[in-house]
Amino acid sequence: MLVAALAALAVLFPLTLSGTVATAAPGSNFQNPIVGTPNSADPWLGYHDGNYYYAATTWTGSIYLRKSPTLSGLKTAAETRVFQMSQPGATSNMWAPSLHQLNGKWYLYYSAGPSSCCGGQRQHVLESAGSDPMGPYTYKAKLDLMPNDGWAIDGSVMTVGGTNYFVFSAFTNNGSFESGATQNLYISRMTNPWTVAAHGTLISQPTLSWETQGNPVNEGPYVLQRGGRTFLTYSASFCQTPDYKIGALELTGSDPTNRGAWTKMPNPLFQRSDANGVYGPAHHTFFKSPDGTEDWIVYHANSSASQGCGTTRTSRAQRISWNPDGTPNLGVPVSTSTPLAGPSGENNNPGAVPVRRLQSYNFQDRYVRHADFAVRIDPNVSPALDGRFRVVAGLANSGAGHVSFESENYPGHYLRHDNYVLRLAPNDGSSTFRSDATFKQVAGLAGSGWSSFQSYNFPDRYVRHSDYGLRIDTIGSDTARQDATFRLVD
């Protein structure tokens, strides 16, 4: 049984407790993958007017969309064919569809080539008849992106300052890996949704060691914007390797078509997790939760290091977060065995889940944080997201003031006790886990303006720190009461 308590309605705790927050229910629970093989590589996912829409690589001449009111429902949603390719040189090998609503219509961009793979790939665009993402669609154009009609893939639209740009991947001088060329990112200003003003301008090449594993690759660019800042995320290294991953550029200048206006982030944002059995997690897009309060990523990945660029890849999704400096934090790819709460606002649920820090009562410069999955109180928590938790309705009891604490930067991981010691652990879906990860918020044992957290399955024990580490203990002294008292703060 998946964590049904998370889908409950909001729980309001007594207002006499300082720092008490109203918990809100996320959406319907799910486990990755959200869509399985074979049509599940290079996914695009968006939310529009009450439904999620999904498209992915098909390797054929057909383009399919799925539609569902919940993220979890995409797994069994019907595939609807919205287009059958018949254009010269573009009858098969459809890759990396990307949908964008522009001027009231939907435009579906995709790479396609002839039946023999894969040197014939070029970018094409369809136009919807109206405002429905499901179409119907008509063929609009092949984009003229590179000199001599050169190879171009993985395109999407980025809007900056009211101007649309097409970002895509191509080889240096229309070369190849065999000729020593690198696969790079290019950009073109668009004059309308099916026409670019000029051939692409180079803005990024794979120069860092983590971008050149297998082959030197930058591909799959997709924009992520927040707080007036623009990040162009992309896939790096060769997809045939388990080290396919996600990096990012930030627009730090004024002209997106000027390579000097982009600053490459020095480290990857998202990469393989051997511990979680996730390999080659990349080629992604982003989407908002139905209530607009959460940012999510959809990406493909393999479950074995020996799998590569083929149909073994499945589509997965998880919530992302933001660092205090305003840069994106994509976290760690989640195991397919970990239940996840769906996006906030699904099915008209109460909306955003509060994110809080837990401040110690007797060491007020210290806050609860996870470090290598151990839980303790520390001053100056770094990275800051290690000390931030989503306060959700209790996994084992969603009423009577019960809460659970989900990590902000490790989706699906919660504070739970194990042999009385608190750890950050992935939800395994068991009733034992739900009980171990549920606590009742009560008036602070050392101060009524604060809070204490009583264990759900060991109600004679409370969360307290001891030598700065967190555990659940029976409380019998003034020191213990102070150790077991905390305040929820922003």
Side-chain angles (χ1 to χ4, degrees), residues 276-365:
N276 290 341
V278 182
Y279 303 92
H283 204 113
H284 60 290
T285 60
F286 300 99
F287 63 98
K288 286 281 191 183
S289 61
D291 62 7
T293 64
E294 298 173 344
D295 293 298
W296 283 67
I297 184 173
V298 59
Y299 59 97
H300 74 225
N302 281 313
S303 295
S304 167
S306 62
Q307 295 168 328
C309 294
T311 58
T312 58
R313 298 171 294 179
T314 58
S315 292
R316 298 131 189 254
Q318 61 191 73
R319 178 178 40 80
I320 70 169
S321 53
W322 296 85
N323 296 311
D325 66 358
T327 57
N329 188 310
L330 306 190
V332 176
V334 174
S335 167
T336 55
S337 65
T338 300
L340 295 173
S344 180
E346 275 191 4
N347 299 324
N348 297 313
N349 72 29
V353 175
V355 178
R356 298 289 185 265
R357 295 183 297 161
L358 282 84
Q359 181 183 24
S360 168
Y361 174 83
N362 49 354
F363 292 88
Q364 294 189 19
D365 63 332

Side-chain angles (χ1 to χ4, degrees), residues 251-275:
L251 183 61
T252 51
S254 58
D255 180 7
T257 64
N258 180 353
R259 185 176 184 179
W262 294 95
T263 300
K264 183 173 289 187
M265 299 179 72
N267 298 307
L269 299 186
F270 202 63
Q271 57 189 320
R272 64 187 284 177
S273 172
D274 291 34

Side-chain angles (χ1 to χ4, degrees), residues 80-396:
T80 299
R81 187 168 69 184
V82 297
F83 191 71
Q84 181 65 42
M85 297 185 295
S86 61
Q87 285 63 45
T91 58
S92 188
N93 287 301
M94 189 282 289
W95 297 350
S98 183
L99 282 76
H100 300 271
Q101 190 177 33
L102 306 169
N103 305 325
K105 292 187 175 182
W106 287 89
Y107 291 87
L108 196 162
Y109 300 86
Y110 62 97
S111 310
S115 58
S116 59
C117 189
C118 297
Q121 298 298 112
R122 303 294 186 270
Q123 286 288 161
H124 302 261
V125 58
L126 311 178
E127 182 185 66
S128 70
S131 59
D132 186 350
M134 297 298 289
Y137 286 92
T138 57
Y139 184 81
K140 196 67 180 177
K142 180 174 73 172
L143 299 181
D144 182 18
L145 296 172
M146 295 295 285
N148 302 313
D149 190 27
W151 188 87
I153 64 167
D154 293 358
S156 63
V157 176
M158 174 184 72
T159 303
V160 176
T163 299
N164 294 328
Y165 300 87
F166 197 73
V167 287
F168 62 99
S169 180
F171 280 105
T172 314
N173 299 321
N174 287 336
S176 65
F177 294 134
E178 291 74 19
S179 67
T182 58
Q183 191 180 330
N184 316 311
L185 301 184
Y186 292 82
I187 187 170
S188 295
R189 182 176 61 83
M190 307 184 79
T191 56
N192 59 46
W194 57 91
T195 311
V196 295
H199 291 146
T201 300
L202 175 68
I203 56 173
S204 178
Q205 289 180 278
T207 57
L208 302 177
S209 60
W210 53 266
E211 299 177 293
T212 58
Q213 293 166 287
N215 276 317
V217 174
N218 284 179
E219 65 183 9
Y222 203 83
V223 71
L224 181 61
Q225 294 171 316
R226 184 174 185 261
R229 297 171 69 174
T230 294
F231 301 91
L232 187 61
T233 61
Y234 60 92
S235 300
S237 288
F238 190 34
C239 65
Q240 192 64 33
T241 74
D243 296 302
Y244 197 49
K245 58 178 68 68
I246 297 175
L249 312 172
E250 182 177 5
L251 183 61
T252 51
S254 58
D255 180 7
T257 64
N258 180 353
R259 185 176 184 179
W262 294 95
T263 300
K264 183 173 289 187
M265 299 179 72
N267 298 307
L269 299 186
F270 202 63
Q271 57 189 320
R272 64 187 284 177
S273 172
D274 291 34
N276 290 341
V278 182
Y279 303 92
H283 204 113
H284 60 290
T285 60
F286 300 99
F287 63 98
K288 286 281 191 183
S289 61
D291 62 7
T293 64
E294 298 173 344
D295 293 298
W296 283 67
I297 184 173
V298 59
Y299 59 97
H300 74 225
N302 281 313
S303 295
S304 167
S306 62
Q307 295 168 328
C309 294
T311 58
T312 58
R313 298 171 294 179
T314 58
S315 292
R316 298 131 189 254
Q318 61 191 73
R319 178 178 40 80
I320 70 169
S321 53
W322 296 85
N323 296 311
D325 66 358
T327 57
N329 188 310
L330 306 190
V332 176
V334 174
S335 167
T336 55
S337 65
T338 300
L340 295 173
S344 180
E346 275 191 4
N347 299 324
N348 297 313
N349 72 29
V353 175
V355 178
R356 298 289 185 265
R357 295 183 297 161
L358 282 84
Q359 181 183 24
S360 168
Y361 174 83
N362 49 354
F363 292 88
Q364 294 189 19
D365 63 332
R366 292 178 178 263
Y367 296 82
V368 174
R369 60 90 50 91
H370 62 83
D372 293 327
F373 303 107
V375 182
R376 51 182 291 111
I377 57 170
D378 272 349
N380 304 315
V381 175
S382 181
L385 291 183
D386 287 356
R388 296 184 67 83
F389 301 90
R390 289 158 47 94
V391 186
V392 302
L395 300 185

